[in-house]
Every structure is written in C-alpha cells, then in structure tokens.
C-alpha cells in the first residue's frame, strides 16, 4: 500500500435483525468499501431504513 492509499472501510451487516456493526460479528455479512463516498451513501441508506448500529 502506498502513502496515498487508505485502508478500506468495513462494516458487517445482518439484514434479518437490521444491524450494522463496525466490528466483525459471526454470522454477519462483511461489506468492504474502497470509495469513501460510496461507504457514506451506504451508511445513509442503512440509517434511512432504521438499521441499528453497534
């Protein structure tokens, strides 16, 4: 990784329980973002759908 690259943003999602985690959780699906704008749009959408965050 060069100096200009940032590590990907990662979230773990459980769509049945409507939970988003910023830490690994067994049974949750990992989503990895290399574009911060896309990451924030995704977070906004989960918020709009009233997902819980942990």
């Amino acid at each position: 990784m060069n100096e200009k690259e940032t590590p990907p943003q990662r979230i773990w999602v459980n769509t049945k329980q409507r939970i988003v985690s910023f830490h690994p959780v067994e049974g949750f699906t990992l989503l990895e973002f290399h574009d911060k704008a896309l990451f924030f749009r995704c977070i906004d959408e989960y918020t709009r759908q009233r997902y819980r965050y942990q």
Side-chain angles (χ1 to χ4, degrees):
M1 177 165 73
N2 68 38
E3 293 175 6
K4 294 182 182 181
E5 290 181 13
T6 59
Q9 301 291 320
R10 294 182 177 134
I11 58 174
W12 289 260
V13 180
N14 180 315
T15 57
K16 290 184 181 186
Q17 295 180 1
R18 299 172 69 89
I19 300 171
V20 175
S21 177
F22 296 98
H23 305 282
V25 179
E26 188 174 325
F28 283 32
T29 302
L30 168 64
L31 298 179
E32 188 171 274
F33 300 88
H34 296 272
D35 178 317
K36 281 194 176 192
L38 180 58
F39 171 74
F40 287 117
R41 284 195 304 263
C42 184
I43 292 297
D44 285 345
E45 182 60 23
Y46 282 126
T47 300
R48 189 187 69 73
Q49 293 181 29
R50 299 179 187 241
Y51 273 63
R52 278 190 312 121
Y53 292 90
Q54 63 180 31

